[in-house]
Amino acid sequence: MNRPRVVVQGPDGRGLRAITIGGAPAGSAWSQRDLRRQLRRAGLAPDLDLADRALVTWREAGSDVWPDRTWRRRGTIALLSAGLLASMVLLVHIGRVDAFGALTFSGRLTGVLFMLAGAAQGIAAAAVYDHWGKRTLRYSGALVLVGVLITVASQGLLLGVWFQEREYTPYLWIFLPLSLWSLWAGWILWSERAWTGIPHPKSFTAGLTVTALLASANFAYSALYQPQTALFHFVVEAKFGTPRRDPKRPLVHVPVTLRVANDGDVPAYVLNSIYWVQGRESAFDGGRTKLMREEWRTDVESGRDVELHARPTAYRTLNTGVVVHPDSWVYPGADFKTERVVQLPANAGYDQLVAAMSVIILRGDRGKIDPKYRTPVYSWREKTDRFFDCSVVECPDYVMHHARVRHNNNILNVTRRPRYVSSDRWLRETDSGITVWISPFNTKGKLSAHAEPAERYGVDQYVSGLAVLPFPALPLQAAP
């Protein structure tokens, strides 16, 4: 019976020997065992005598020459695919946060580009097995090259951003090994000349360059340029309404209108807000004709108006509370109004009523706060494991809101230590107010005492002007 002649070509540079059966290509083999596997697939007998020169022709080298370094080749495959898969997971992890949660279009586009880059690396990881195998796919080397170049570019970007602050982050244990891996992988591909066979190499290089520049430009635009140029402005206002006398009781009801309006182009979080209405007590001297020098100096140093006949002696808090609940989201164009009513005796000994309000805002294009922030923590329910601290003997009561604040661009989140925003609303008899600070945790797991400038995270505080109402005139103005 005539059997087709088997021709085994000489080994190539990697030790792989091409096979033809009956003049038709039949694959390639790394070893005699691999050769018999190919012959079985072609329908030949598994016990074919490989030494029979009438059936098998060995060219350039005999049947005992198989120079493949199996373990070295498999080790290269394992390291290359592991590095590409690790980089894929990292890029998808970074990109998905921005792709589905970034406020701006450019931020979402950056996230999508990172996820697409991760997908390309997943394809490259699969192509590694073909390129370091029998190379049945024409462009498997080009796919691996793309994956490695993505790793080089992405790790360069991440390390460059990290170097600006040089803070410890757990992601460093990923950045640094992947950076070293990308250099090793690049050297391997250079020695393999993986770009050989790429059609239109200039267009290929230009496409990679444009994609990298587009991702970098979007990052710079969303993280640096846009937050600096978009108009951010709020209107905060407190106004007294028309007082009303109670028809049954000796009381006066004084309405106060509180307004918060976003008349800029950027949405924002409300970190905290407070309003207060105070009654001013004063001593009067209608016979005075001249101010003493020491008196106006004292008034100026205290930040008070200089008055000839009235000398303020005390301010009493009549009403105080929250205007907009912390963690509220305010869109551009939103105009929020609410009213409070101050009730006080008609014969109260105040000469003026004073109202004001304050709101602390976080730009929505600069940061995001975790939902935990909306849950208040009360100082009078203090626990030993909390981070309350007070340097005076008796601390005033306050309500704290605390949670992690994240940059609007996830590249910054993975290259920086976590930051936490905290805000207090202080409650005192004579005055009230709100404060905010941003800081990381220290080595003991507590909030660091070194607060950072809140402005770098887009935090700003708006305080209304003082609304003043003469109190003795109220019974005359109040409706019966």
Side-chain angles (χ1 to χ4, degrees):
M1 181 179 64
N2 293 328
R3 295 180 180 179
R5 174 174 292 276
V6 177
V7 178
V8 181
Q9 303 294 337
D12 62 11
R14 300 182 301 140
L16 189 65
R17 305 188 70 168
I19 306 167
T20 58
I21 300 176
S28 54
W30 296 105
S31 63
Q32 279 197 20
R33 181 179 179 181
D34 194 14
L35 172 61
R36 290 191 179 277
R37 187 182 301 113
Q38 300 296 331
L39 296 178
R40 283 198 302 272
R41 290 177 179 175
L44 299 180
D47 57 349
L48 180 71
D49 186 4
L50 299 179
D52 188 348
R53 293 182 177 273
L55 300 177
V56 181
T57 299
W58 299 89
R59 293 182 176 174
E60 298 183 22
S63 61
D64 59 339
V65 179
W66 299 94
D68 173 42
R69 298 180 181 179
T70 304
W71 290 108
R72 179 179 179 180
R73 177 170 55 83
R74 291 178 178 175
T76 301
I77 291 174
L79 286 176
L80 282 172
S81 58
L84 288 168
L85 290 174
S87 183
M88 176 195 74
V89 172
L90 176 63
L91 294 185
V92 171
H93 170 71
I94 294 174
R96 66 180 178 84
V97 176
D98 289 339
F100 298 107
L103 178 68
T104 62
F105 172 78
S106 58
R108 289 178 181 267
L109 181 58
T110 301
V112 169
L113 289 174
F114 263 69
M115 294 186 69
L116 290 177
Q121 290 190 307
I123 296 173
V128 167
Y129 291 89
D130 181 78
H131 186 69
W132 267 265
K134 297 182 179 180
R135 296 185 178 175
T136 58
L137 299 176
R138 181 178 179 183
Y139 302 125
S140 59
L143 293 174
V144 177
L145 179 61
V146 169
V148 172
L149 290 178
I150 288 174
T151 306
V152 172
S154 61
Q155 297 309 308
L157 173 64
L158 292 171
L159 284 177
V161 176
W162 171 84
F163 192 77
Q164 294 176 352
E165 299 288 341
R166 295 184 294 279
E167 298 177 343
Y168 173 77
T169 169
Y171 288 93
L172 272 179
W173 296 104
I174 303 176
F175 300 158
L176 294 178
L178 276 180
S179 298
L180 296 175
W181 173 91
S182 65
L183 296 177
W184 169 79
W187 175 77
I188 291 292
L189 291 174
W190 177 268
S191 61
E192 288 276 342
R193 297 189 176 275
W195 59 87
T196 303
I198 297 177
H200 311 295
K202 292 183 178 180
S203 300
F204 175 80
T205 304
L208 287 179
T209 304
V210 169
T211 303
L213 291 176
L214 181 61
S216 301
N218 271 285
F219 166 70
Y221 179 80
S222 61
L224 303 175
Y225 176 76
Q226 190 173 31
Q228 299 294 331
T229 57
L231 176 62
F232 183 71
H233 187 263
F234 269 72
V235 175
V236 176
E237 186 179 35
K239 294 176 64 176
F240 282 113
T242 302
R244 301 293 179 185
R245 184 184 301 168
D246 193 289
K248 297 182 179 180
R249 296 173 296 175
L251 298 177
V252 174
H253 306 278
V254 183
V256 181
T257 301
L258 308 171
R259 179 184 175 218
V260 178
N262 184 353
D263 62 349
D265 300 328
V266 181
Y269 292 96
V270 174
L271 295 181
N272 215 334
S273 65
I274 190 173
Y275 83 95
W276 61 93
V277 179
Q278 294 179 328
R280 190 183 84 163
E281 299 175 355
S282 300
F284 293 92
D285 186 353
R288 299 186 64 186
T289 59
K290 183 179 181 181
L291 280 171
M292 301 300 294
R293 176 177 295 179
E294 295 301 325
E295 291 176 337
W296 72 57
R297 287 178 177 176
T298 301
D299 289 341
V300 170
E301 291 176 356
S302 302
R304 297 192 299 260
D305 292 340
V306 180
E307 300 182 56
L308 176 61
H309 298 292
R311 301 296 299 168
T313 58
Y315 284 86
R316 306 293 180 187
T317 299
L318 305 178
N319 280 47
T320 185
V322 174
V323 182
V324 183
H325 195 278
D327 194 32
S328 295
W329 183 254
V330 185
Y331 286 97
D335 195 334
F336 173 80
K337 290 183 180 179
T338 185
E339 285 197 353
R340 302 290 191 272
V341 177
V342 182
Q343 296 177 320
L344 67 163
N347 60 351
Y350 305 121
D351 66 321
Q352 290 181 2
L353 299 184
V354 179
M357 62 176 291
S358 177
V359 180
I360 299 177
I361 302 295
L362 169 68
R363 291 178 63 125
D365 60 351
R366 294 285 287 275
K368 297 180 287 187
I369 52 179
D370 287 354
K372 178 184 175 183
Y373 187 83
R374 65 175 60 102
T375 303
V377 180
Y378 304 101
S379 62
W380 51 91
R381 296 180 182 175
E382 179 180 348
K383 295 181 179 179
T384 56
D385 59 342
R386 287 189 181 146
F387 36 75
F388 294 111
D389 185 24
C390 190
S391 58
V392 298
V393 176
E394 183 178 356
C395 294
D397 289 335
Y398 58 92
V399 181
M400 171 181 278
H401 293 266
H402 167 80
R404 182 176 176 183
V405 58
R406 303 176 190 270
H407 294 277
N408 197 49
N409 190 297
N410 203 33
I411 294 176
L412 297 177
N413 291 323
V414 300
T415 55
R416 303 284 192 270
R417 279 194 299 172
R419 261 59 175 186
Y420 298 85
V421 58
S422 305
S423 182
D424 293 333
R425 179 165 57 92
W426 298 87
L427 308 174
R428 300 184 182 94
E429 180 183 2
T430 56
D431 66 321
S432 301
I434 50 178
T435 58
V436 64
W437 71 97
I438 294 177
S439 62
F441 278 166
N442 58 26
T443 56
K444 298 180 180 179
K446 302 292 184 180
L447 280 177
S448 172
H450 303 289
E452 301 179 354
E455 292 78 9
R456 67 186 300 185
Y457 298 92
V459 175
D460 203 354
Q461 183 167 3
Y462 290 83
V463 181
S464 71
L466 289 177
V468 181
L469 191 64
F471 181 69
L474 288 181
L476 299 178
Q477 298 172 359

